[in-house]
Amino acid sequence: MNAQARLAAVFLPALLAAGACGSGPEDTQSGIAISNVTVIDAVSGERPGQTVLIDGDRIVAVGPADSIYFTAAEQIDGAGKFLIPGLWDMHVHLTYDDRFTATMPEMFIRYGITSVRDTGGLMEKIAPVVERMRAQGAVAPRVFFSGPLLDGATVVYDGIDAPEIGVPNPEAPTARSRVAELKSQGVDFIKIYEMVSPEVFAALVEAAGTHGLPIASHVPLSMRASTAGPHVNSMEHLRNVELDCAANSDELLETRRQQLSAGEESSGMKLRTFLHSLQRREAIAAFDEQQCADVIGTLRNTIQVPTARLNALSMFPVFARDDWPEALAGIPQGVQEEWSGPSPWVSRDPGQRDLTAARYTLEMIARMHEAGVPVGAGTDTPIALAIPGYSLHNELEVLVAAGLTPLDALGAATLQPAKFFSLEDEMGAIAPGMRADLVLLDANPLIDISNTRTIDRVIARGRIMPVH
């Protein structure tokens, strides 16, 4: 008997005893029933004509509508509608921009995002936010957080040239102590950043293993993707993969290490930006088919979170969307004004847009997906015109443009995040025993992935959330 079946054996009899199933006049009503709905998830595909019963924070029954009898406190007619697992955004920064922090949780819920993975924030800022989001009755997604970016002796996000969300780890002992401290503070995973040395990277990986923490990571600038990737659970942005796929990768890596050693730029952000500007286009131009196939082969157990909507912003500018003005109206006034003008991220003039990174992103996602590398959905919100919640739907559309099927894209935003945390027995599918995080849609996302935007209701932790 698998885990779902065991949970069903426990929960369904209990629900029957409580009266949420059955038709007698003495029944005590409880829970939520969604009847005659088409259920869609990445595990079982599309199942029309289903009834889904929820009791508390668990799904307790799923089956053909004519086989399940119930009386429930909340009854929803799902005829003509489509039920998917609650969506995740695997790459968010709740404390990156103070103008968004207070409103982000409700914005996520409004757009059907019922879980988020915060990939970098100082503990003194992120811990109170997490506490509020986890409070009883909060209108907020489940939140999993890493604490600060674990950077090297030089920190990219140091509070000078960029918001302060990173901390230094100059040596291996510092790194090990840092991970132990973060574990004691309750983090759910760690985030390794780009300026760490190979020695510090190895120490962070070892410490995370000791403390049972999954790892999200950028590829450190001093390392190859094929060297770092197999040691972490997810890689972010596809960044630095292009170097490993270049025919002259040895030369590029040596140049990069020399620049890092020289440290001539005045800050971590300037040094990182200089190196990316110096080498990224050259590496993409020097792409080697066989070498890249070998690199991708090393990453089959590492979830790739490409933040495709960010990397391909020049190809899919959000301000060109018909629904952009309405979405923009829902964010803080100061940001509305800022994002309505010229953007440092993408020109409003199509003739001025460089599509190199966008094409590379779509081609790399396609190659990885075809090779069986898992892909996860994350947006880097609120960075670069990423409206919290709204941007996740943009991400799904770009993933489909890159070659994923709509069902694959749904899996990237439901099943893969659960797998990152080894929670696939609890989240990512619609089945007995699963957590009651669900999104009811008015149109079929398998016909058009943009239909994930047609949200009728959001259920998070077994509660129907206010979304309109």
Side-chain angles (χ1 to χ4, degrees):
M1 183 181 292
N2 63 27
Q4 290 181 18
R6 288 195 300 272
L7 285 165
V10 171
F11 281 99
L12 190 51
L15 190 62
L16 285 162
C21 298
S23 57
E26 301 299 319
D27 290 340
T28 301
Q29 294 187 0
S30 65
I32 301 170
I34 307 169
S35 60
N36 201 30
V37 71
T38 297
V39 170
I40 299 171
D41 66 40
V43 174
S44 300
E46 184 174 5
R47 291 166 284 166
Q50 302 287 297
T51 288
V52 177
L53 300 182
I54 297 165
D55 190 44
D57 187 21
R58 294 281 183 175
I59 298 169
V60 294
V62 181
D66 60 3
S67 69
I68 295 180
Y69 302 93
F70 60 88
T71 55
E74 185 79 29
Q75 300 185 28
I76 300 170
D77 182 2
K81 298 184 185 296
F82 303 84
L83 191 67
I84 62 173
L87 300 168
W88 288 66
D89 190 328
M90 285 189 76
H91 197 120
V92 314
H93 293 284
L94 293 161
T95 59
Y96 183 87
D97 186 335
D98 292 340
R99 297 172 297 179
F100 278 103
T101 301
T103 58
M104 283 179 82
E106 290 190 15
M107 293 181 71
F108 284 125
I109 290 294
R110 185 188 315 158
Y111 286 102
I113 286 73
T114 59
S115 295
V116 296
R117 193 181 68 151
D118 186 283
T119 51
L122 297 185
M123 286 300 301
E124 57 264 33
K125 292 189 71 174
I126 190 65
V129 175
V130 170
E131 184 177 4
R132 289 194 296 271
M133 291 175 68
R134 291 178 175 173
Q136 185 74 24
V139 179
R142 300 180 197 269
V143 56
F144 300 79
F145 72 110
S146 68
L149 306 179
L150 301 179
D151 221 340
T154 303
V155 176
V156 173
Y157 284 93
D158 59 0
I160 300 172
D161 292 312
E164 188 179 8
I165 58 174
V167 293
N169 294 273
E171 299 174 343
T174 307
R176 294 189 190 96
S177 298
R178 181 86 68 182
V179 174
E181 181 183 13
L182 289 173
K183 174 66 174 181
S184 72
Q185 293 173 315
V187 303
D188 301 291
F189 66 109
I190 66 166
K191 170 77 174 293
I192 301 177
Y193 212 61
E194 293 187 35
M195 305 300 284
V196 299
S197 67
E199 294 74 23
V200 167
F201 177 86
L204 290 170
V205 169
E206 178 188 7
T210 297
H211 295 287
L213 294 170
I215 303 170
S217 181
H218 284 214
V219 178
L221 289 166
S222 59
M223 300 177 70
R224 295 179 182 273
S226 55
T227 302
H231 297 285
V232 303
N233 303 89
S234 76
M235 282 169 47
E236 314 301 305
H237 309 300
L238 300 180
R239 193 172 294 156
N240 298 325
V241 176
E242 71 278 3
L243 181 145
D244 213 359
C245 286
N248 60 337
S249 61
D250 288 343
E251 176 187 336
L252 291 172
L253 184 60
E254 180 56 31
T255 298
R256 181 174 287 188
R257 286 172 172 169
Q258 289 175 2
Q259 293 287 344
L260 287 168
S261 179
E264 294 178 357
E265 296 293 332
S266 59
S267 73
M269 176 60 78
K270 289 178 180 176
L271 179 56
R272 188 195 70 161
T273 301
F274 168 74
L275 288 171
H276 284 303
S277 300
L278 178 70
Q279 294 189 320
R280 193 171 197 200
R281 289 176 63 88
E282 180 182 350
I284 291 172
F287 177 83
D288 183 277
E289 186 83 40
Q290 184 56 55
Q291 183 161 321
C292 200
D294 293 341
V295 171
I296 290 172
T298 69
L299 304 176
R300 289 199 177 97
N301 295 316
T302 306
I303 299 170
Q304 300 298 308
V305 184
T307 59
R309 71 94 214 157
L310 171 62
N311 290 352
L313 196 56
S314 60
M315 191 176 290
F316 303 96
V318 287
F319 48 70
R321 294 184 53 87
D322 292 341
D323 61 357
W324 178 248
E326 180 183 358
L328 199 64
I331 67 175
Q333 183 64 39
V335 189
Q336 288 184 41
E337 296 169 1
E338 183 179 312
W339 286 7
S340 295
S343 169
W345 298 96
V346 59
S347 173
R348 289 183 177 269
D349 178 359
Q352 297 299 313
R353 295 176 196 154
D354 183 353
L355 301 181
T356 303
R359 293 193 184 104
Y360 160 78
T361 295
L362 267 61
E363 291 170 3
M364 187 58 67
I365 292 171
R367 289 175 186 277
M368 289 182 165
H369 180 60
E370 185 177 350
V373 175
V375 175
T379 69
D380 221 2
T381 183
I383 297 171
L385 309 181
I387 294 176
Y390 173 90
S391 58
L392 191 278
H393 300 277
N394 299 339
E395 182 72 12
L396 297 182
E397 291 171 9
V398 179
L399 291 178
V400 170
L404 274 67
T405 67
L407 189 60
D408 293 331
L410 282 178
T414 55
L415 185 58
Q416 293 303 334
K419 287 184 174 180
F420 177 85
F421 291 108
S422 299
L423 291 174
E424 60 266 38
D425 281 348
E426 295 188 45
M427 305 176 75
I430 301 176
M434 291 288 179
R435 295 289 180 181
D437 295 338
L438 301 161
V439 183
L440 188 64
L441 304 174
D442 289 327
N444 191 341
L446 300 189
I447 293 175
D448 184 340
I449 193 61
S450 67
N451 286 335
T452 57
R453 300 177 188 270
T454 65
I455 296 171
D456 177 275
R457 294 174 215 214
V458 176
I459 297 172
R461 299 186 186 91
R463 296 164 46 222
I464 297 175
M465 292 285 166
V467 297
H468 299 297

